[in-house]
Amino acid sequence: MNHKATTLILFGATGDLAARMLLPSLYGLHRDGLLPQALKIVATSRSAHDDADFREHARAALVAHVPEAYFEADSAASFLQRISYVTLDATDAAGFQRLADAVEGSGEIAIFLSTAPSLFKPTIDNLEAVGLAGPHVRLALEKPLGSDLQSSCAINDAVAKAFPEERTFRIDHYLGKETVQNLLALRFANLLFEPVWSSAHIDHVQITVAETVGLEGRADYYDGAGALRDMVQNHMLQLLALVAMEPPASFDATAVRDEKVKVLRSLRPMRAEDSVIGQFTAGAVGGKPVPAYAEELERPSDIETFVALKAHVDNWRWAGVPFYLRTGKRLPQRRTEIAIQFRDLPHSMFASGGAKAAPNRLIIAIQPEENITLELMAKRPGLDRGGIRLREVELDIDQADAFADVRRRIAYERLLLDLIEGDPTLFVRRDEVEAQWQWVDQIRAAWGEAGATPRPYAAGNWGPSAAIALIERDGRSWND
């Protein structure tokens, strides 16, 4: 599908995601002349607004969330003229008829569905009933797409009745981040890396997604999901797949996603002893005291707010290479990164002089700052009468410096533009989602069989001490 949409329908348009991400992203695309000139944006939600009311709401969101240096009153005004509003309750068929009337004769339509999963089926049924699910309509879905494999299949089945796979765009916003996409460029556009990207040269891989925040108003969702389903099932497994995938034949949706699915299906079933779960207690983050998870939730809970895993991809390339994954809330710093640890030298010519060569390491930082660092060994300056002295140095490709002439974009800008243009490459296919859920469900089953419960860790620490032991018993350490 490569026909550009002429109408974009935003469900949940008065929600937090729309205010913080979607509307600022669409404004950025409009300001830079990247949206189709004739594109109309139809916003919907249950809140009663007319066009003028919602445009004022949207303008306030732009003022609050678009960087001041990038906000232009004239661009904002012309962007807002693209927007109209239809009040719509997902369970009320009459509202969908008003929506259909508002977009009649629009040609290609893209729908962004940012609602509770419980509303997916009635929304899709009503869209189909009013003719908004035909071959000229594509649908984007925000997570969560289920809470396990069974519920995910039920959602996918409901979607597939009206929207075939080629017109279904499942969103994982991490795939819209520049550094995540740059991982593909780093691997497959540089002869330097691909020949050493295997178990012959790589000792292990670490993927960390650390958050300093607690529940942030997501108590009902998070306490039903936990760290494993909230972060590992989607974002972290997508990062792992991009690290471990074989070279696609070309950069197109089918080739890229085929290779990711192969990785996900090669994940070894987890043993309970290869994982650690935790829940934060009261502590301090950034020098400020914070309450325990149970206090924040206002009730006891056995859900995990931290998980560390030792995973394996059982294929030729990665045989024997562990992938250590960890994620959690109320950790010391906000950080998302991939660390590729290379093997030790088989022999060092400098060892007789007392010089020790540390193994090379490639660190791909995704947030809060995007950059790539390659740690190398270099000679210390000096006359070295007692033998060459070595020191670890960094080759730092800071995205902000290397591309200072290019504006840093919100991940949703790329995803929304791809949705409008009908390019599914950076969206998640059904078989990917279900392979991810199959692996995660097996982990949860292993926890149940082992009677695993979250270990306490004080807020502001890197999880329970058992998470440190998980990697250190292999003679390795986390990249803290």
Side-chain angles (χ1 to χ4, degrees), residues 24-318:
S25 294
L26 289 166
Y27 163 79
L29 295 171
H30 169 87
R31 182 188 182 280
D32 293 343
L34 296 173
L35 292 180
Q37 189 171 0
L39 180 75
K40 297 178 181 178
I41 301 169
V42 179
T44 78
S45 78
R46 295 177 61 182
S47 304
H49 294 291
D50 59 21
D51 291 354
D53 287 341
F54 183 78
R55 286 171 182 166
E56 186 54 38
H57 167 84
R59 187 182 186 283
L62 299 183
V63 170
H65 299 290
V66 172
E68 185 177 354
Y70 195 68
F71 182 83
E72 294 179 352
D74 289 347
S75 293
S78 60
F79 167 69
L80 295 173
Q81 290 306 306
R82 291 181 182 265
I83 302 176
S84 59
Y85 185 85
V86 175
T87 302
L88 184 149
D89 184 329
T91 61
D92 178 14
F96 284 84
Q97 188 56 59
R98 291 195 301 273
L99 178 63
D101 293 342
V103 301
E104 186 176 3
S106 292
E108 293 286 325
I109 297 172
I111 300 174
F112 191 107
L113 191 57
S114 176
T115 61
S118 60
L119 297 176
F120 284 173
K121 188 178 188 306
T123 299
I124 291 166
D125 288 346
N126 283 318
L127 286 170
E128 187 175 25
V130 298
L132 289 177
H136 64 297
V137 184
R138 67 199 68 145
L139 178 71
L141 299 165
E142 265 286 348
K143 76 159 193 168
L145 297 178
S147 58
D148 55 19
L149 179 59
Q150 183 178 1
S151 58
S152 180
C153 288
I155 290 172
N156 283 324
D157 288 344
V159 173
K161 288 179 180 178
F163 295 91
E165 186 63 33
E166 65 269 17
R167 291 193 281 112
T168 301
F169 292 64
R170 296 173 191 82
I171 292 170
D172 185 328
H173 74 270
Y174 267 48
L175 298 181
K177 293 180 178 292
E178 284 289 349
T179 310
V180 173
Q181 297 167 52
N182 206 18
L183 177 56
L184 293 175
L186 184 77
R187 285 194 58 190
F188 304 127
N190 296 286
L191 187 60
L192 174 67
F193 289 113
E194 187 55 25
V196 298
W197 208 266
S198 71
S199 60
H201 302 282
I202 291 176
D203 178 77
H204 71 277
V205 177
Q206 295 182 29
I207 301 176
T208 295
V209 179
E211 300 181 282
T212 57
V213 298
L215 288 175
E216 286 194 307
R218 300 169 70 226
D220 291 340
Y221 162 72
Y222 193 86
D223 199 58
L228 181 70
R229 288 182 282 188
D230 183 51
M231 277 291 182
V232 176
Q233 185 274 331
N234 42 76
H235 304 324
M236 298 186 78
L237 285 184
Q238 285 292 316
L239 295 179
L240 185 152
L242 291 172
V243 170
M245 66 191 282
E246 295 298 315
S250 60
F251 186 65
D252 67 60
T254 299
V256 171
R257 297 192 291 184
D258 281 351
E259 297 303 335
K260 286 197 291 175
V261 169
K262 291 177 185 177
V263 172
L264 296 169
R265 289 176 175 166
S266 298
L267 285 167
R268 181 187 304 175
M270 288 279 301
R271 303 177 303 170
E273 56 264 38
D274 286 331
S275 66
V276 174
I277 53 177
Q279 185 183 106
F280 67 81
T281 60
V285 177
K288 296 181 179 179
V290 296
Y293 178 77
E295 293 178 65
E296 207 171 332
L297 188 63
E298 299 183 338
R299 64 177 183 272
S301 171
D302 60 359
I303 205 70
E304 80 282 357
T305 63
F306 175 94
V307 61
L309 305 170
K310 178 184 175 183
H312 289 272
V313 178
D314 283 338
N315 62 19
W316 185 285
R317 182 184 289 264
W318 297 108

Side-chain angles (χ1 to χ4, degrees), residues 302-382:
D302 60 359
I303 205 70
E304 80 282 357
T305 63
F306 175 94
V307 61
L309 305 170
K310 178 184 175 183
H312 289 272
V313 178
D314 283 338
N315 62 19
W316 185 285
R317 182 184 289 264
W318 297 108
V321 176
F323 286 72
Y324 298 99
L325 282 62
R326 64 173 173 171
T327 183
K329 289 188 174 294
R330 295 300 191 197
L331 300 184
Q333 57 185 260
R334 177 173 175 253
R335 190 207 314 169
T336 298
E337 71 174 23
I338 302 165
I340 312 293
Q341 182 69 61
F342 291 91
R343 294 190 180 279
D344 281 319
L345 292 171
H347 170 74
S348 174
M349 61 182 286
F350 306 109
S352 60
K356 181 172 175 55
N360 303 132
R361 182 165 52 178
L362 178 67
I363 298 176
I364 302 161
I366 297 168
Q367 62 183 23
E369 301 299 329
E370 298 179 332
N371 68 289
I372 299 170
T373 302
L374 179 60
E375 296 178 354
L376 302 172
M377 298 307 298
K379 175 187 174 297
R380 287 177 178 267

